[in-house]
């Protein structure tokens, strides 16, 4: 009977199911486009207005809670690192919660309050190579609506003959009303306009609409729901990538002057100039840490660059590791024969030894000096040094301040220095200061499959100097608050921008105007009249452009300044940031969020480029058990856990069967046990680091360091300052502080000495271990620490109050396990062995159960080696 029933009914059921699918797919226009976890983003609009290269961007996102209970909704956007946020607001059920820009110090209490609750207080974080991520979330009631609005501004820079505006597109779900709209107004006239997206399919290509005529350009991108789907039956959005707008302007003269309300901006980009020959020195780090993919990618880039060097150019290569080597003793003309010889030299470059950065740079400067003194190079030529390093100086002159002074004195303003920092092991602040002091800039090179292209791309930017020592002069008695007006080089396809204001904006003289516009065809009145086309114009745009450029340059000068000069630059930049409401490194935006227990304040800061935390770190607390902290870069967060074991136990920390590297640590306890404690305090009192392929063993205690190489044994104490290379091992001992160990082409380690008061009744000296270049270890690496050298992902849910009101609990989903974790802080003692630096992390209880593979006792071994 059941079979008969099904046979009779099943076709009807199938038909009904098909009809149901059709009815859900063919929704009326006002139905929800797509709902994720009860939330629907039904509108997202990106509106950009560009006036004379200055872009004002507004991102507006609207969402509604389609569920029956309160839900958390996220506003998550990425914006260019060169942009300044100017405004943010949330509107919930008609009530607007605006952001307020304050001095960073004034916002400090709000920041500390947020951190004390265990929240990630910063709303803006560095994200990728070109962007920063702004993220805010808020709980809204069932059926409630929320509107997020974020504004930011930036000055578009000209490279390779075009201005470029970059928009990150990632709505993360299908959006019923998605639109990008760009309006461009250029008084000089627009000559070309293009738009493209990394996510644009053939079907989407026709949705990009662009028009330009005379001074105006317009671009719109408005895909339908169907066009947003990855496939006809998919619920995932294809909108995930970069949307880029490029354009250029008409140039009848080398420059263009624009004046509005007493402020002016002067654009200088001469064309059809004879190209300068260049004298270029490549100073390349070939130390052991560059071995493997890094050195191969560097060689690949150098070979491509050699293909682009012009025959009128002069060049040379300087290599630095423990020693300094040069390709030639002087600058060499780029003849076909010399280029072929250079290619052979590049192909045989290898990596080994330490990092004598100072020696490499000074040799390069000496060769340039000699070439100019002996008239080996043309008088009308541009001299450039490009230095690439992946580490920090550790042999020769290793004090970065001394290196900066020596390099600045040696260059003496004659040459431009560009510093390229490869990966996260560099002291980026040092590289940036040194480059800026010598009319150049620093650039981070990201270790990735396209590293060679990044290096070649940078060279392309600086490979065509057209003018040297450019200075634009203005009448001093008429003009004030001038931005930088002298430049070491003008490169083909770029543009020089100078802005300022008239002392009396209502009555500047015709003489001043003539002096400013000596080659400009358009007068101030015509310019002002042109700017009345308000559809394409926003606010006092020239004044804001001047403020943006001034702040940007003050912050740059501040990097190399000291003492009173730095204080004055800081005060000026801060005053302008507050006046024009820019979120800069000196200001913060306080964002008020409505929550169930009252309003909550969060902080939006401007991230700054600096030294990266190592991907994975292991360290100890001075008053606790061995403590591990695992940084998870893609989450911008960290996980930590303790191992509670008794003194005398030895734990396997790292074991790599491929490279032969192992690291074990032996625990010590307090001077006398605490009879009231169930588990005694313990620390690492001895570390054993070995490489069986090199037959090398290193034993480190708070008293001594011993190296065993076969039958040979060498000993040191922490009172020694040592740099040693032996049997593929490189050891640097920094007296009473730490040691740095590199083993062949494998990973490097830093061991930190923690010293306590000798008469302390309980505690005794102990050790901390940090990993560098963990990517040099194989995928088979394991151990308590080694297992985390592979990427790890986790999700945090249901944050709620814990037993400590300052440390909330949450649920963590990791390795298919559901764990209860607690928000807290642990100290990173790598740079400050005495006080450490607080790092927030999610603490996993019970000896890391559920996070580590197996249980912690699986990692107990019988001996140090």
């Amino acid at each position: 009977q059941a079979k008969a029933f099904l046979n009779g009914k099943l076709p009807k059921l199938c038909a009904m199911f098909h009809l149901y699918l059709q009815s859900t797919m063919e929704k009326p226009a006002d139905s929800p486009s797509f709902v994720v976890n009860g939330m629907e983003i039904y509108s997202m609009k990106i509106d950009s207005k560009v006036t004379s290269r200055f872009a004002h961007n507004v991102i507006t996102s609207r969402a509604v809670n389609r569920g029956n209970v309160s839900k958390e909704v996220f506003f998550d956007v990425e914006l260019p690192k060169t942009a300044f946020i100017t405004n943010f607001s949330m509107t919930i059920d008609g009530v607007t919660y605006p952001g307020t820009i304050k001095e960073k110090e004034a916002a400090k209490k709000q920041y500390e309050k947020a951190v004390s609750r265990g929240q990630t207080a910063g709303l803006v974080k560095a994200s990728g190579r070109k962007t920063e991520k702004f993220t805010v979330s808020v709980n809204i009631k069932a059926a409630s609506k929320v509107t997020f609005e974020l504004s930011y501004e930036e000055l578009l820079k000209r490279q390779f003959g075009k201005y470029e505006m970059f928009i990150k597109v990632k709505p993360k779900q299908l959006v019923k009303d998605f639109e990008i709209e760009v309006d461009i107004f250029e008084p000089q006239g627009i000559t070309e306009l293009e738009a493209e997206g990394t996510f644009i399919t053939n079907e989407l290509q026709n949705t990009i609409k662009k028009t330009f005529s005379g001074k105006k350009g317009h671009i719109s991108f408005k895909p339908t729901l169907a066009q947003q789907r990855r496939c006809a039956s998919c619920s995932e959005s294809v909108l995930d990538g970069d949307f880029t707008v490029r354009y250029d302007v008409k140039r009848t003269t080398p420059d263009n002057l624009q004046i509005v309300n007493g402020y002016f901006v002067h654009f200088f980009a001469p064309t059809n100039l004879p190209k300068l020959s260049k004298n270029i020195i490549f100073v390349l780090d070939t130390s052991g840490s560059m071995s493997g993919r890094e050195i191969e990618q560097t060689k690949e880039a150098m070979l491509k660059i050699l293909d682009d060097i012009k025959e009128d150019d002069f060049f040379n290569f300087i290599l630095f590791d423990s020693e300094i080597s040069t390709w030639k003793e002087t600058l060499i003309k780029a003849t076909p024969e010399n280029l072929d010889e250079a290619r052979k030299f590049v192909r045989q470059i290898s990596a080994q030894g330490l990092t004598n950065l100072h020696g490499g740079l000074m040799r390069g400067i000496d060769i340039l000096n000699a070439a100019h003194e002996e008239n080996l190079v043309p008088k009308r030529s541009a001299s450039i040094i490009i230095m690439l390093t992946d580490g920090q100086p550790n042999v020769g002159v290793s004090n970065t301040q001394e290196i900066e002074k020596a390099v600045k004195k040696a260059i003496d303003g004659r040459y431009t220095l560009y510093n390229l920092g490869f990966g996260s092991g560099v002291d980026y602040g040092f590289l940036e200061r040194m480059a800026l002091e010598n009319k150049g800039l620093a650039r981070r090179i990201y270790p990735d499959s396209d590293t060679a292209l990044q290096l070649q791309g940078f060279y392309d930017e600086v490979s065509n100097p057209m003018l040297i020592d450019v200075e634009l002069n203005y009448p001093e008695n008429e003009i004030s608050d001038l931005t930088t007006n002298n430049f070491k080089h003008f490169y083909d396809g770029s543009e020089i921008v100078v802005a300022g204001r008239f002392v009396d904006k209502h009555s500047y003289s015709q003489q001043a105007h003539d002096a400013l516009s000596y080659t400009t065809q358009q007068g101030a009145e015509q310019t002002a009249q042109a700017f009345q086309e308000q559809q394409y114009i926003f606010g006092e745009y020239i004044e804001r452009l001047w403020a943006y450029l001034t702040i940007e340059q003050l912050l740059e000068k501040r990097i190399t300044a000291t003492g009173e000069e730095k204080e004055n630059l800081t005060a000026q930049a801060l005053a302008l940031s507050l006046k024009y409401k820019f979120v800069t490194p000196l200001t913060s935006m306080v964002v008020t969020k409505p929550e169930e227990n009252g309003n909550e304040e969060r902080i939006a800061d401007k991230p700054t480029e600096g030294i990266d935390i190592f991907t994975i770190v292991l360290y100890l607390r001075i008053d606790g058990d061995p403590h591990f902290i695992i940084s998870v870069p893609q989450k911008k967060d960290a996980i930590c856990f303790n191992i509670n074991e008794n003194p005398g136990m030895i734990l396997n920390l790292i074991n790599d069967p491929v490279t032969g590297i192992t690291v074990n640590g032996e625990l010590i306890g307090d001077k006398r046990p605490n009879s009231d404690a169930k588990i005694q305090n313990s620390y690492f009192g001895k570390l054993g680091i070995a490489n069986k392929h090199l037959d090398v063993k290193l034993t480190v205690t708070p008293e001594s360091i011993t190296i065993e190489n076969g039958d040979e044994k060498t000993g040191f104490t922490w009172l020694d300052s040592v740099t040693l290379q032996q049997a593929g091992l490189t050891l640097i001992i920094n007296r009473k502080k730490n040691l740095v160990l590199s083993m062949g082409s494998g990973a490097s380690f830093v061991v930190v000495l923690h010293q306590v008061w000798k008469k302390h009744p309980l505690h005794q000296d102990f050790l901390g271990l940090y990993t560098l270049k963990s990517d040099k270890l194989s995928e088979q690496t394991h151990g308590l620490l080694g297992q985390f050298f592979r990427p790890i992902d986790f999700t945090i849910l249901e944050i709620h109050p814990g037993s400590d009101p300052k440390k909330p609990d949450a649920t963590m989903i990791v390795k298919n396990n559901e764990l209860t974790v607690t928000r807290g802080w642990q100290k990173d003692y790598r740079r400050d062995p005495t006080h450490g630096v607080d790092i927030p992390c999610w603490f996993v209880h019970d000896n890391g159960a559920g996070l580590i593979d197996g249980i912690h006792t699986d990692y107990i071994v019988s001996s140090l080696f």
Side-chain angles (χ1 to χ4, degrees):
Q1 286 179 337
K3 287 179 180 178
F5 173 79
L6 286 176
N7 287 335
K9 301 293 185 183
L10 195 56
K12 293 181 180 178
L13 288 171
C14 288
M16 289 171 62
F17 183 58
H18 176 70
L19 182 63
Y20 171 73
L21 283 177
Q22 273 196 322
S23 68
T24 56
M25 293 172 69
E26 299 170 3
K27 292 174 290 190
D30 59 349
S31 66
S33 54
F34 192 68
V35 178
V36 176
N37 193 28
M39 294 302 307
E40 178 203 350
I41 300 174
Y42 62 90
S43 174
M44 179 173 283
K45 293 192 177 183
I46 302 168
D47 181 67
S48 298
K49 292 190 183 299
V50 181
T51 307
S52 295
R53 293 73 149 170
F54 196 56
H56 176 80
N57 307 279
V58 181
I59 301 175
T60 307
S61 178
R62 292 180 169 87
V64 59
N65 183 355
R66 299 288 184 188
N68 298 320
V69 295
S70 293
K71 294 285 184 180
E72 188 173 27
V73 61
F74 287 85
F75 177 69
D76 188 349
V77 298
E78 294 185 53
L79 54 149
K81 286 183 178 179
T82 53
F84 291 153
I85 291 174
T86 58
N87 192 31
F88 173 76
S89 66
M90 290 182 293
T91 302
I92 303 172
D93 290 338
V95 180
T96 299
Y97 301 86
T100 305
I101 295 176
K102 297 182 178 181
E103 180 183 358
K104 187 162 287 188
E105 286 300 312
K108 193 173 181 180
K109 289 183 180 179
Q110 287 97 324
Y111 179 87
E112 291 174 345
K113 183 179 177 182
V115 171
S116 71
R117 290 194 294 265
Q119 298 156 346
T120 305
L123 299 178
V124 187
K125 296 190 176 182
S127 172
R129 302 176 187 179
K130 300 193 296 183
T131 59
E132 296 163 354
K133 181 177 285 189
F134 179 96
T135 304
V136 68
S137 64
V138 64
N139 281 299
I140 64 171
K141 298 175 182 178
S144 289
K145 292 183 177 181
V146 59
T147 298
F148 299 101
E149 185 173 285
L150 177 73
S151 302
Y152 64 91
E153 295 176 352
E154 64 172 329
L155 178 63
L156 305 183
K157 291 180 172 57
R158 189 170 185 257
Q159 280 187 334
F160 307 118
K162 293 179 183 177
Y163 304 98
E164 180 177 292
M165 184 168 68
F166 161 85
I167 298 171
K168 193 74 173 178
V169 176
K170 196 171 184 176
K172 296 183 180 178
Q173 64 172 261
L174 302 175
V175 179
K176 176 185 169 186
D177 185 11
F178 181 92
E179 183 176 13
I180 296 174
E181 193 164 21
V182 181
D183 287 309
I184 302 171
F185 181 81
E186 288 289 350
Q188 290 171 263
I190 298 171
T191 58
E192 55 182 314
L193 176 64
E194 59 187 57
E196 62 182 18
T198 56
F199 53 87
I200 297 296
T201 60
N202 289 335
E203 185 181 5
L204 281 174
Q205 190 66 50
N206 294 330
T207 63
I208 300 178
K209 308 294 183 184
K210 61 177 182 178
T211 60
F212 69 95
S213 176
K215 303 170 187 175
K216 298 177 184 179
H218 180 78
I219 288 173
S220 67
F221 173 63
K222 191 173 182 179
T224 64
L225 275 174
Q227 290 169 328
Q228 292 176 43
R229 296 181 189 273
R230 286 197 179 275
C231 64
S233 59
C234 293
S235 59
E236 296 85 15
S237 173
V238 74
L239 305 184
D240 185 357
D242 303 338
F243 189 85
T244 305
V245 174
R246 297 184 185 92
Y247 74 93
D248 201 17
V249 300
K250 192 178 297 181
R251 287 184 171 80
T252 55
T253 60
D255 62 347
N256 176 258
L257 178 75
Q258 297 171 18
I259 305 170
V260 174
N261 290 339
Y263 286 85
F264 75 86
V265 59
H266 187 187
F267 300 107
F268 181 72
T271 55
N272 301 319
L273 293 172
K275 289 189 176 179
L276 285 173
S277 63
K278 59 183 178 294
N279 317 307
I280 187 163
I281 299 275
F282 297 99
V283 182
L284 306 179
D285 184 346
T286 57
S287 61
S289 60
M290 282 286 290
S291 62
R293 187 168 76 160
E294 283 93 333
I295 199 68
E296 293 305 317
Q297 289 175 321
T298 301
K299 290 159 64 174
E300 179 187 346
M302 289 299 113
L303 290 171
K304 290 179 180 176
I305 287 170
L306 286 171
D307 292 339
D308 293 335
I309 289 182
K310 309 295 188 299
E311 192 165 352
D312 291 336
D313 294 340
F314 290 77
F315 72 106
N316 203 344
F317 289 100
I318 313 294
L319 309 181
F320 65 92
D321 43 61
S322 300
E323 306 296 330
I324 309 301
S325 59
T326 61
W327 172 48
K328 300 290 184 181
E329 291 305 310
T330 63
L331 279 172
I332 299 296
K333 199 168 192 294
T335 64
E337 296 77 17
N338 287 336
L339 288 171
D340 284 341
E341 187 180 345
R343 291 183 185 97
K344 294 176 184 176
F345 173 79
V346 168
R347 290 188 183 101
Q348 58 82 40
I349 292 175
S350 60
Q352 61 180 2
L354 300 175
T355 308
N356 189 352
L357 184 150
H358 170 266
L361 275 175
M362 296 304 290
R363 180 71 60 86
I365 296 167
D366 288 344
I367 288 176
L368 270 178
N369 285 341
H372 282 277
E373 289 166 5
E374 297 168 18
N375 295 317
L376 298 177
V377 296
K379 285 188 176 181
R380 189 178 180 275
S381 60
S383 295
I384 299 167
I385 301 171
I386 296 179
M387 192 270 288
L388 169 70
T389 182
D390 78 329
Q392 301 182 33
N394 53 29
V395 67
V397 179
S398 58
N399 183 293
T400 55
Q401 291 183 335
E402 290 181 20
I403 295 173
E404 286 177 46
K405 289 178 182 177
V407 169
K408 185 177 181 181
K409 182 178 180 181
I411 289 180
D412 194 28
R414 292 170 292 182
Y415 321 128
T416 303
L417 172 64
Y418 295 107
N419 289 330
L420 306 182
F422 199 137
S424 59
V426 296
D427 184 342
Y428 190 84
F430 157 62
L431 297 181
E432 185 176 40
R433 287 192 305 274
M434 187 163 58
L436 291 173
E437 286 175 335
N438 295 284
K439 305 292 185 179
L441 56 85
R443 179 77 57 82
R444 192 182 291 281
I445 301 298
Y446 294 86
D448 212 332
S449 58
D450 69 340
T451 293
L453 291 176
Q454 294 178 55
L455 292 170
Q456 188 183 1
F458 177 80
Y459 173 78
D460 289 343
E461 290 179 37
V462 300
S463 62
N464 289 309
M466 308 298 284
L467 295 172
I468 54 175
D469 297 322
V470 180
E471 184 170 354
L472 302 178
N473 294 311
Y474 305 89
E476 294 181 8
N477 60 329
E478 301 273 2
I479 301 299
S480 67
D481 300 323
L482 194 67
T483 62
T484 299
N485 65 325
N486 56 80
F487 305 86
K488 187 64 183 174
H489 293 141
F490 167 74
Y491 291 103
D492 189 25
S494 68
E495 182 175 67
I496 287 173
V497 183
V498 180
R501 67 184 183 90
F502 291 94
V503 174
D504 184 348
K505 74 175 185 177
H506 298 294
S507 59
Y508 59 87
S509 69
Q510 185 62 41
Q511 181 183 358
H513 174 261
D514 291 342
L516 284 170
S517 56
Y518 61 97
T519 56
T520 302
Q521 301 300 310
Q522 188 174 18
E525 290 180 6
Q526 292 172 290
T527 304
Q529 184 178 2
F531 291 146
Q532 290 174 8
E533 304 183 53
Q534 290 301 319
Q535 179 187 351
Y536 284 70
I537 310 300
F538 60 94
E540 301 294 335
Y541 93 96
I542 284 188
E543 183 177 348
R544 294 191 66 80
L545 185 158
W546 165 81
Y548 172 97
L549 197 57
T550 302
I551 293 168
E552 188 179 59
Q553 293 175 358
L554 288 170
L555 293 173
E556 187 176 274
K557 291 175 184 176
R558 183 173 169 264
I559 293 171
T560 57
T562 57
E564 186 176 346
E565 181 190 5
K566 186 168 188 174
E567 291 178 7
N568 291 335
L569 291 168
T570 301
Q572 293 175 55
L574 174 61
L576 287 173
S577 300
L578 292 171
K579 179 178 178 180
Y580 291 95
K581 301 189 185 305
F582 286 131
V583 176
T584 70
L586 303 177
T587 54
S588 298
M589 178 178 285
V590 180
V591 177
T592 302
K593 289 173 49 179
E595 296 292 347
E596 292 181 3
N597 299 323
N599 288 346
E600 172 188 299
E601 290 176 327
R602 302 286 293 279
I603 305 299
D605 285 331
K606 177 77 173 170
T608 53
E609 188 77 74
I611 304 171
D612 288 347
I613 298 173
F614 298 131
T615 302
I616 299 173
V617 180
L618 161 67
Y619 66 85
L620 301 310
R621 291 186 301 174
I622 199 167
D623 61 348
D625 298 285
H627 194 96
F628 297 74
I629 179 165
I630 316 300
S631 176
V632 186
Q634 66 270 28
K635 293 288 188 182
K636 307 295 182 186
D637 211 338
I639 305 173
C640 48
F641 63 95
N642 286 347
I643 296 296
N644 300 308
E645 270 300 338
N646 292 318
M649 288 294 181
I650 300 173
L651 300 173
N652 173 237
L653 305 176
I654 300 171
N655 180 26
D656 183 4
V658 176
T659 63
I661 292 176
T662 60
V663 181
N664 294 328
E666 182 175 335
L667 302 179
I668 59 173
D670 286 334
K671 293 176 181 176
R672 64 171 187 270
N674 183 351
S675 58
D676 296 330
K678 293 181 181 179
I679 300 176
Q680 302 300 319
N681 284 337
S682 55
Y683 320 89
F684 280 122
K686 185 182 289 187
L687 291 171
I689 306 174
N691 187 323
K692 69 179 182 181
H693 297 334
L694 298 177
D695 193 20
V696 172
K697 297 177 182 176
L698 182 81
T699 305
V700 186
T701 72
E703 292 78 36
S704 63
I705 301 108
T706 305
I707 303 174
E708 296 179 62
N709 184 204
D711 296 330
E712 296 181 19
K713 185 179 287 190
T714 308
F716 304 97
T717 74
W718 285 100
L719 296 175
D720 295 318
S721 292
V722 174
T723 299
L724 173 72
Q725 286 186 288
Q726 176 181 313
L729 173 147
T730 301
L731 176 69
I732 303 168
I733 301 174
N734 297 305
R735 187 174 184 268
K736 288 187 175 184
K737 292 182 179 178
N738 58 47
L739 66 82
V740 182
L741 174 70
S742 300
M743 307 182 83
S745 60
S748 301
F749 305 97
V750 177
V751 179
V752 176
L753 173 65
H754 294 282
Q755 292 183 305
V756 301
W757 180 42
K758 294 299 180 187
K759 295 182 181 181
H760 196 287
L762 286 178
H763 302 321
Q764 53 183 328
D765 296 349
F766 65 97
L767 304 172
L769 174 71
Y770 297 78
T771 63
L772 305 176
K773 297 286 180 182
S774 59
D775 59 317
K776 297 290 186 181
L777 294 170
S778 78
E779 292 185 359
Q780 298 180 39
T781 303
H782 210 264
L784 268 173
L785 178 61
Q787 64 188 288
F788 297 107
F789 289 168
R790 296 183 295 277
I792 183 172
D793 194 15
F794 67 91
T795 301
I796 295 294
L797 304 170
E798 301 171 357
I799 301 176
H800 56 275
S803 56
D804 184 338
K806 294 183 179 180
K807 297 179 180 181
D809 286 347
T811 299
M812 174 185 285
I813 308 298
V814 62
K815 292 184 176 180
N816 294 320
N817 296 318
E818 188 173 306
L819 312 177
T820 298
V821 293
T822 302
R823 192 65 171 174
W825 302 265
Q826 300 301 335
K827 286 195 177 291
D828 176 358
Y829 291 101
R830 177 166 54 90
R831 293 188 177 87
D832 185 351
T834 305
H835 304 102
V837 176
D838 285 331
I839 292 185
C841 62
W842 290 105
F843 182 79
V844 179
H845 302 273
D846 301 325
N847 293 299
L851 173 67
I852 64 173
D853 295 337
I855 58 176
H856 80 280
T857 53
D858 295 340
Y859 300 88
I860 295 175
V861 293
S862 58
S863 63
L864 207 58
F865 296 106

